[in-house]
Amino acid sequence: MKPMIKVEDLSKLYRIGSPDDAAYRTLRDALAGAVADPFRRNRRKKLDAARQLWALDGVSFEVAPGEVVGVIGRNGAGKSTLLKILTRITEPTRGRVDLYGRVGSLLEVGTGFHPELSGRENVYLNGAILGMRRAEIERKFDEIVAFAEIERFLDTPVKRYSSGMYTRLAFSVAAHLDPEVLLVDEVLAVGDYEFQKKCLGKMRDVSRSGRTVLFVSHNVASVSNLCSQVIWLDKGRVAASGETGEVIGNYVASGMSASGEVVWGKGEDAPGDGDVRLRSVKLLGKRGTASDLLIGEPITVEIEYENLKEGNFIVWGLELKDKVNTYVFATNNRPSANAARDEWYGRPRPTGVYKTRCVIPPNLLNNDLYRFDLRMVNERNELRFCLEDALSFVVHDTGEMAAEFSGRWVGVVRPRLAWTTERMA
């Protein structure tokens, strides 16, 4: 099958820093420089090499018709440069790009909007800039306005729009293109939560209609929801490509090492709020402190801390997240949230050192990478401090269910629930 996007050995070189000022030198400078040049040549070569930045270096991939492919990577990985080349904003230094069919791009939302023009006029202006014909804009006009939810303000100059209204209208125009190939860059993070859900739904409709989509984003959760394949760029090169879950897992894990223990001791630089100072946070399994744990074993989170204020009220909370920042659950040591009451909850505490423990039961979490935020609030539920990504750990499959089910169990949690069967006749 012929690919819709074919990229071969794509490379882009940029030069960093100020250009050489040789063009502005006098004749005397040029003659003096010629005499000294043999001694400066090596230094100049080293300087030129230091000023070179390969934003892309030998990138190759193919995207098949109807495929939705995500591109992920940290800042400076080359994602924006790749899109600029694909949309012909800039030329590559080396390599080749083949795009087949009509190409549309959703890059910087709102490019081409004129602040003095009304929303109605900007729909036509922006649509024309994006490559839509007037008849096409007129046919989709009502749908664009309804999607953006700005009917009441359609004839108001967009300079009076809120930032949310502005971006909603801009995305709506761009989202109603009908290209065979769609290039998308971080445009789903617009508007409020409800509008973001609409944006994701629109992108799903685009992908289901058989159009080819290349989606660049830092939001791995959105990439995971929309894309069947992922390309991971790192320092201008393809670090990995393939099935979405596997590539995203490797990408997230590359920036996070599992850590089963953090110890601050009695140091004044330990996290806290002045009245309470952490000493350590640990993950405990059957074999003691660990960051690699088994599905079938309980996991204990142990918090050791010093109370510095007589009569202090302390409430601890944990928020567990998976590798794509999906919240698995939140828990705290309030009696309403616990199977067993914490005897110190709600009691004013004398000064001293304490240990608070939370136990995650066995056979709850699926095999994956997890991390949690540690929070402390007062008796009025006011946040006193938060330690984000306090610890991370990996849960491993023990293989107990391999005889009953082959393959990876889906989902974040994998509990063992009670099932019964009763014969009625």
Side-chain angles (χ1 to χ4, degrees):
M1 183 183 295
K2 185 178 181 180
M4 296 297 287
I5 304 175
K6 186 175 182 180
V7 174
E8 294 180 330
D9 191 32
L10 195 63
S11 303
K12 179 65 178 179
L13 176 65
Y14 289 107
R15 296 189 181 276
I16 305 171
S18 302
D20 191 1
D21 60 357
Y24 306 101
R25 293 190 298 172
T26 64
L27 176 60
R28 183 183 64 184
D29 293 333
L31 292 174
V35 175
D37 191 62
F39 304 99
R40 297 176 180 171
R41 190 171 299 158
N42 290 336
R43 180 175 174 271
R44 188 179 296 121
K45 285 182 179 179
K46 292 180 180 179
L47 184 61
D48 288 344
R51 287 178 175 174
Q52 291 182 355
L53 172 66
W54 286 95
L56 293 175
D57 188 6
V59 172
S60 299
F61 62 88
E62 294 184 359
V63 181
E67 198 170 30
V68 182
V69 176
V71 179
I72 60 176
R74 292 173 175 80
N75 291 330
K79 304 185 301 298
S80 297
T81 301
L82 174 63
L83 278 182
K84 286 178 182 178
I85 294 175
L86 292 177
T87 52
R88 299 176 184 174
I89 294 174
T90 188
E91 292 289 327
T93 304
R94 184 178 69 238
R96 177 186 176 92
V97 173
D98 293 327
L99 295 169
Y100 300 93
R102 183 184 179 190
V103 179
S105 58
L106 279 67
L107 302 182
E108 294 185 22
V109 172
T111 300
F113 267 36
H114 195 293
E116 299 295 335
L117 299 180
S118 67
R120 183 187 304 275
E121 293 164 330
N122 270 299
V123 169
Y124 284 92
L125 174 63
N126 197 231
I129 290 173
L130 292 172
M132 300 172 72
R133 297 180 178 85
R134 183 178 181 85
E136 185 181 0
I137 299 172
E138 290 177 346
R139 188 175 72 253
K140 297 181 178 180
F141 184 84
D142 291 341
E143 187 179 349
I144 291 171
V145 173
F147 188 91
E149 302 172 359
I150 55 130
E151 292 93 335
R152 290 180 57 195
F153 311 99
L154 189 57
D155 294 308
T156 301
V158 297
K159 68 180 181 181
R160 297 195 175 97
Y161 283 14
S162 68
S163 58
M165 292 166 59
Y166 186 94
T167 52
R168 288 205 309 270
L169 181 59
F171 177 86
S172 185
V173 175
H176 285 81
L177 291 168
D178 283 327
E180 285 84 12
V181 178
L182 185 61
L183 308 174
V184 186
D185 181 21
E186 292 287 11
V187 296
L188 299 186
V190 297
D192 54 26
Y193 175 72
E194 288 300 319
F195 189 74
Q196 288 184 32
K197 286 175 62 179
K198 286 179 66 174
C199 292
L200 284 169
K202 184 65 177 177
M203 292 305 303
R204 290 192 186 97
D205 293 341
V206 169
S207 63
R208 289 167 185 161
S209 66
R211 280 174 275 179
T212 302
V213 180
L214 192 70
F215 177 41
V216 175
S217 180
H218 284 104
N219 189 332
V220 291
S222 296
V223 172
S224 181
N225 287 330
L226 288 172
C227 304
S228 57
Q229 300 285 312
V230 170
I231 299 167
W232 168 18
L233 292 181
D234 184 36
K235 297 179 181 178
R237 298 186 177 185
V238 176
S241 63
E243 189 269 328
T244 298
E246 181 180 354
V247 176
I248 286 179
N250 292 334
Y251 166 66
V252 174
S254 70
M256 180 193 309
S257 58
S259 173
E261 179 182 32
V262 180
V263 178
W264 294 276
K266 298 181 180 180
E268 294 185 359
D269 59 344
D273 70 342
D275 294 338
V276 176
R277 186 175 295 141
L278 283 173
R279 285 196 170 187
S280 68
V281 183
K282 299 179 182 179
L283 286 167
L284 304 173
K286 287 182 177 179
R287 302 170 303 281
T289 304
S291 58
D292 292 278
L293 300 148
L294 302 178
I295 284 177
E297 67 178 314
I299 303 169
T300 300
V301 181
E302 182 184 271
I303 310 158
E304 183 176 329
Y305 52 98
E306 184 178 5
N307 179 34
L308 303 173
K309 179 183 177 183
E310 190 74 26
N312 211 359
F313 287 87
I314 301 171
V315 180
W316 291 103
L318 297 174
E319 294 178 349
L320 188 71
K321 304 176 289 187
D322 70 359
K323 64 189 176 188
V324 294
N325 274 340
T326 299
Y327 281 95
V328 181
F329 63 74
T331 183
N332 58 57
N333 66 333
R334 297 181 185 276
S336 59
N338 287 277
R341 181 180 176 88
D342 183 346
E343 63 175 299
W344 276 103
Y345 174 78
R347 292 173 56 190
R349 305 191 189 194
T351 58
V353 178
Y354 296 81
K355 282 187 179 180
T356 296
R357 296 182 180 89
C358 172
V359 180
I360 302 172
N363 300 304
L364 176 66
L365 300 176
N366 206 348
N367 52 305
D368 215 331
L369 175 71
Y370 300 91
R371 51 208 163 104
F372 65 81
D373 297 341
L374 177 64
R375 295 177 177 270
M376 189 182 76
V377 300
N378 60 21
E379 67 276 15
R380 296 183 299 277
N381 207 36
E382 297 168 341
L383 181 65
R384 297 176 61 171
F385 80 89
C386 175
L387 184 62
E388 294 187 353
D389 296 336
L391 291 178
S392 57
F393 61 98
V394 178
V395 175
H396 296 277
D397 194 346
T398 57
E400 292 180 37
M401 300 184 186
E404 305 166 10
F405 175 80
S406 60
R408 189 187 188 282
W409 290 72
V410 297
V412 177
V413 295
R414 199 176 92 177
R416 288 187 173 182
L417 305 178
W419 287 68
T420 62
T421 301
E422 182 181 358
R423 183 177 180 181
M424 304 303 296

